[in-house]
Amino acid sequence: MSALLEAEGLVKRFPVRDALGRRAGAVHAVDGVSLGVAQGEVLGIVGESGCGKSTLGRLLLNLITPDAGTVRFGGDDLTRLSASALRARRRDMQLIFQDPFASLDPRMTVEQAVAEPLRLHRIVPRAQERDRVAELLSRVGLRPELARRWPHEFSGGQRQRIAIARALASQPKLIIGDEPVSALDVSVQAQVVNLLSDLIRDLSLTFVLISHDLGVVRHVADRVAVMYLGRIVEQGPAEDVLSAPKHPYTRALLAAVPGHGAKAPPIEGDVPSPIAPPPGCRFHTRCPFAVERCRTDQPTLGDGLHRVACHLADSLPPPTPRPDRLAGGDRLRRLQSFFRAPGPLPGAQP
Amino acid sequence: MTTVLEVSGLTLDFRQDGRNLRVLDGVSFRVEAGRTLAIVGESGCGKSVTSLAVMGLLPGTARVGGAIRLGGRELTALSAEERRMLRGGEMAMIFQEPMTSLNPAFTAGEQVAEALRLHQGLDQGAAFAEAVRMLDRVRIPDAARRARQYPHQLSGGMRQRVMIAMALACRPRLLIADEPTTALDVTVQAQILSLLDEMKRETGTAVILVTHDLGVVADHADEVAVMYAGRIAEQAAAATLFASPEHPYTAGLLGAAPGEGARGERLASIEGTVPDLRNPPPGCRFAPRCPFAVVRCHNEAPPLAEVAPGHVSACWRAPLDGVLAAA
């Protein structure tokens, strides 16, 4: 597999101004991030608010310009493309946002919203537009008759399906989903997660899933990168990172997910301000294992399939196993099997 | 055990466009001292309006029926002024977004002290000193300094700690926490929920935890009521509910939450959407989405019936072992 998307040394800082408009430092949103996404791969980027994951998503699409570093997409350095070349390249890269109530234009019908990228990138002749929209809608599990309706007539889950259809319209090679299911209720979220899994499989999509929800990421990602205060602290195959985490922060993040019988919080305190991130390892202020070296030396991510930026990674005690309280037994699984649609959603095959 | 709150046959109606909208339809539960009842469900199921009805915080256009008894006292018979005096004293509530519940123009300490002056009759100095003590108890580092700071100077987790200090300052008999950690990051959420557990153990306060997160319920609730479309679908001790749910909605909801399951495995997906309460289905409200529904489910609303001691389910087909045996 070759890398479709490759980021190298990305840095992005946002200036902060005081009440008089004078520069008063900067938010270190992304601070030296390198990663690659192979063709057909699903990369999950996880972390808590302020870790820089959304900024990273926008840098990867070159929606904002990095202060340093490069993003290569299919061989082109996006940061060096001319405006018109970049616009042409946009056809291959799409973004799905969290809030389906904010991402659709309320003055456009579903058909207009989904047809817009078709027309913009001249995907199909005008005469075939309507058929193509119908095909895209059924692909995301919506009845084509709904094409004449307005966004306000749809529920959150249906709107997110519309946003996905719109993202698929230009036949992109890469889709970045920034918390695409976080605003949805759990039963609707399950429908959209299943839909995304089907689309990724059926269309061989390359997908970057940005999420704070480790369960959702575990469900769809091949590889996972964990971010803390602008840096990747751990990266590797999803199964390894989420089942055998090496970085103390990844461990804490997993241990904090409710539903595993934890009685005490895994770590105390808040994330430090990204305006003045701690020196050395950025996690040392909350790390239960930190030693003197962690306060001064910045650890690097290293090499290999499963990488971790921690001085102590090899000497940490094994994490305590946690029972999954929501898993239930055989009886529950049999009951739940009646809720699983047997195959792809009706109409998913065009 | 002492029953602190008993709600029976609670109904809530609104007028909308000249029509009646029944938002709660016969909700009953009780909460014991020192125990946590979780009310769980998706948006629009009625979990938040249930807590607002108990607190007496619904707008005047709402018509509340049924009984709400706090320590044997019937709250629905009280005047608005009497209800107001209970809030912050005998019963308190914390909300999802502490920034909108805290007054930006007063310091954290002043806001906690206000409740103490109002309900415990402390003077300004004593109330502020007690407020600092409370902030320290909810483990706000350097409480004396933080007490003099304004909400915008505090982090989200810290603000929710201030809310908890304010709610517990007057030792309420009942605390309602409505999605108290939904706006917080997961590591901070773990801190706040364990703090709530600890405070409950220390004070013996009865807690209603309103949440959409089944993981939170599994770790922090003693009893669980699952709500769907304005009714309770199932209620049981937490361990029982997770091990052997007796309502199809509960089983589906548990399977929809992505957990430790294998990659690519399909999540249980409850097809369709919640019913429109202006025009609810005549029988069981979950029937249109239920894989086990039979004719009766579409025509008659099932009552909450006991399937095992302390375990009730509103399902004609419960106990569900029969359904599995027939499959």
Side-chain angles (χ1 to χ4, degrees):
Chain A
M1 281 199 293
S2 60
L4 176 69
L5 182 71
E6 210 163 9
E8 195 64 51
L10 285 177
V11 175
K12 184 69 190 178
R13 296 191 176 141
F14 295 105
V16 179
R17 292 182 194 281
D18 65 14
L20 298 176
R22 293 173 302 206
R23 268 189 88 135
V27 171
H28 299 235
V30 170
D31 201 18
V33 166
S34 302
L35 56 80
V37 191
Q39 172 76 49
E41 185 181 52
V42 182
L43 173 72
I45 300 178
V46 303
E48 298 178 281
S49 29
C51 73
K53 58 190 190 300
S54 287
T55 303
L56 177 60
R58 280 152 185 73
L59 287 171
L60 291 177
L61 294 178
N62 205 47
L63 293 172
I64 50 177
T65 320
D67 297 327
T70 56
V71 180
R72 301 187 77 82
F73 177 77
D76 296 329
D77 183 349
L78 295 182
T79 55
R80 286 167 191 278
L81 286 184
S82 69
S84 63
L86 184 63
R87 213 163 31 243
R89 219 71 179 89
R90 292 243 171 267
R91 170 183 172 172
D92 295 329
M93 321 179 282
Q94 293 292 328
L95 181 62
I96 303 171
F97 295 94
Q98 170 172 351
D99 186 358
F101 291 88
S103 59
L104 292 171
D105 186 336
R107 295 161 305 177
M108 277 184 161
T109 63
V110 171
E111 181 164 271
Q112 287 165 339
V114 178
E116 191 180 43
L118 292 177
R119 207 169 291 175
L120 189 69
H121 297 292
R122 299 195 182 83
I123 308 288
V124 291
R126 273 276 167 109
Q128 291 169 31
E129 227 169 54
R130 185 153 290 172
D131 288 348
R132 195 59 217 272
V133 169
E135 201 177 297
L136 284 161
L137 290 180
S138 64
R139 171 118 245 170
V140 298
L142 290 174
R143 293 199 316 276
E145 305 91 271
L146 301 175
R148 307 280 179 80
R149 303 251 184 118
W150 303 89
H152 76 264
E153 299 177 69
F154 293 90
S155 67
Q158 287 170 318
R159 286 185 203 209
Q160 204 57 310
R161 287 176 193 269
I162 297 166
I164 294 168
R166 188 173 143 93
L168 292 174
S170 67
Q171 299 168 315
K173 295 198 175 81
L174 169 75
I175 295 182
I176 296 188
D178 189 358
E179 303 274 8
V181 297
S182 302
L184 306 175
D185 264 323
V186 61
S187 72
V188 180
Q189 174 179 307
Q191 296 171 7
V192 178
V193 168
N194 284 342
L195 170 67
L196 285 175
S197 304
D198 290 344
L199 292 171
I200 288 165
R201 186 196 55 217
D202 297 343
L203 305 175
S204 312
L205 288 174
T206 307
F207 202 92
V208 176
L209 174 66
I210 297 168
S211 179
H212 73 284
D213 188 327
L214 295 165
V216 171
V217 169
R218 184 193 295 272
H219 218 78
V220 292
D222 301 303
R223 237 155 30 83
V224 172
V226 182
M227 288 188 74
Y228 187 77
L229 275 176
R231 293 198 182 135
I232 293 178
V233 296
E234 184 164 3
Q235 185 181 319
E239 183 57 30
D240 295 357
V241 174
L242 299 177
S243 301
K246 287 184 177 171
H247 197 285
Y249 177 63
T250 314
R251 288 180 177 204
L253 204 55
L254 281 158
V257 175
H260 298 90
K263 286 286 164 240
I267 45 172
E268 290 294 342
D270 292 305
V271 182
S273 163
I275 297 174
C281 170
R282 292 192 169 175
F283 186 57
H284 84 254
T285 56
R286 301 170 81 197
C287 182
F289 306 106
V291 295
E292 198 46 46
R293 186 182 172 198
C294 307
R295 291 177 240 283
T296 49
D297 291 6
Q298 182 187 320
T300 54
L301 203 51
D303 293 316
L305 221 51
H306 187 173
R307 306 171 181 187
V308 56
C310 174
H311 296 305
L312 306 168
D314 295 324
S315 55
L316 295 177
T320 36
R322 306 161 312 128
D324 183 0
R325 290 197 168 184
L326 304 186
D330 209 36
R331 175 180 175 275
L332 178 57
R333 272 192 289 278
R334 283 188 61 205
L335 286 172
Q336 286 167 353
S337 68
F338 289 89
F339 285 96
R340 288 198 175 93
L345 286 156
Q349 298 299 329
Chain B
M1 271 189 286
T2 336
T3 300
V4 171
L5 178 78
E6 192 171 0
V7 171
S8 44
L10 183 67
T11 58
L12 173 61
D13 294 272
F14 285 100
R15 294 291 292 176
Q16 194 188 49
D17 307 330
R19 283 161 70 190
N20 192 52
L21 189 65
R22 174 148 286 200
V23 177
L24 293 176
D25 192 30
V27 169
S28 305
F29 57 83
R30 55 172 71 196
V31 201
E32 319 282 343
R35 308 275 288 173
T36 298
L37 168 77
I39 301 182
V40 67
E42 300 179 277
S43 321
C45 72
K47 56 189 192 301
S48 283
V49 284
T50 300
S51 41
L52 294 176
V54 171
M55 289 300 290
L57 286 174
L58 289 165
T61 51
R63 280 170 302 129
V64 178
I68 305 171
R69 279 184 294 278
L70 181 73
R73 198 163 165 206
E74 179 53 59
L75 299 188
T76 52
L78 299 181
S79 70
E81 180 55 22
E82 286 169 314
R83 294 292 294 269
R84 196 176 68 77
M85 283 315 292
L86 287 177
R87 289 196 290 272
E90 279 187 66
M91 55 204 300
M93 184 159 177
I94 52 181
F95 297 89
Q96 172 170 337
E97 190 27 83
M99 200 57 199
T100 56
S101 341
L102 289 170
N103 189 329
F106 291 90
T107 64
E110 285 166 350
Q111 300 191 51
V112 179
E114 189 196 6
L116 290 159
R117 281 192 291 118
L118 217 63
H119 295 281
Q120 314 244 302
L122 298 184
D123 66 44
Q124 196 112 16
F128 196 82
E130 177 63 15
V132 172
R133 211 183 59 79
M134 276 310 295
L135 293 175
D136 187 56
R137 269 186 78 197
V138 297
R139 277 193 257 106
I140 290 182
D142 202 357
R145 183 173 66 90
R146 292 294 190 181
R148 292 188 165 73
Q149 292 191 325
Y150 292 88
H152 77 269
Q153 295 170 293
L154 306 172
S155 71
M158 208 89 84
R159 285 182 208 137
Q160 204 56 297
R161 287 180 196 267
V162 173
M163 285 302 300
I164 293 171
M166 206 193 296
L168 295 180
C170 300
R171 304 189 147 263
R173 288 203 268 179
L174 175 71
L175 173 69
I176 301 182
D178 188 353
E179 303 272 9
T181 56
T182 305
L184 303 176
D185 275 319
V186 63
T187 58
V188 180
Q189 160 169 291
Q191 297 166 12
I192 296 295
L193 290 172
S194 107
L195 173 68
L196 273 176
D197 283 351
E198 192 186 311
M199 301 304 276
K200 177 188 69 174
R201 274 195 305 276
E202 276 178 28
T203 60
T205 299
V207 177
I208 297 178
L209 177 63
V210 178
T211 180
H212 70 285
D213 188 327
L214 291 160
V216 167
V217 176
D219 286 351
H220 300 279
D222 301 298
E223 286 276 318
V224 189
V226 180
M227 287 191 74
Y228 186 79
R231 292 179 183 156
I232 291 181
E234 181 170 12
Q235 194 175 341
T240 310
L241 189 105
F242 287 104
S244 48
E246 285 293 359
H247 196 287
Y249 177 61
T250 312
L253 207 53
L254 281 168
E260 310 283 283
R263 194 184 152 266
E265 189 184 299
R266 292 186 78 79
L267 296 170
S269 134
I270 305 173
E271 293 305 318
T273 49
V274 288
D276 183 352
L277 289 180
R278 283 169 298 186
N279 192 14
C284 169
R285 292 184 171 179
F286 186 58
R289 305 174 76 190
C290 181
F292 308 117
V294 292
V295 175
R296 186 183 196 185
C297 305
H298 294 285
N299 299 327
E300 285 175 68
L304 262 181
E306 195 158 76
V307 282
H311 188 172
V312 291
S313 168
C315 175
W316 290 123
R317 307 219 60 196
L320 297 175
D321 287 336
V323 179
L324 287 176

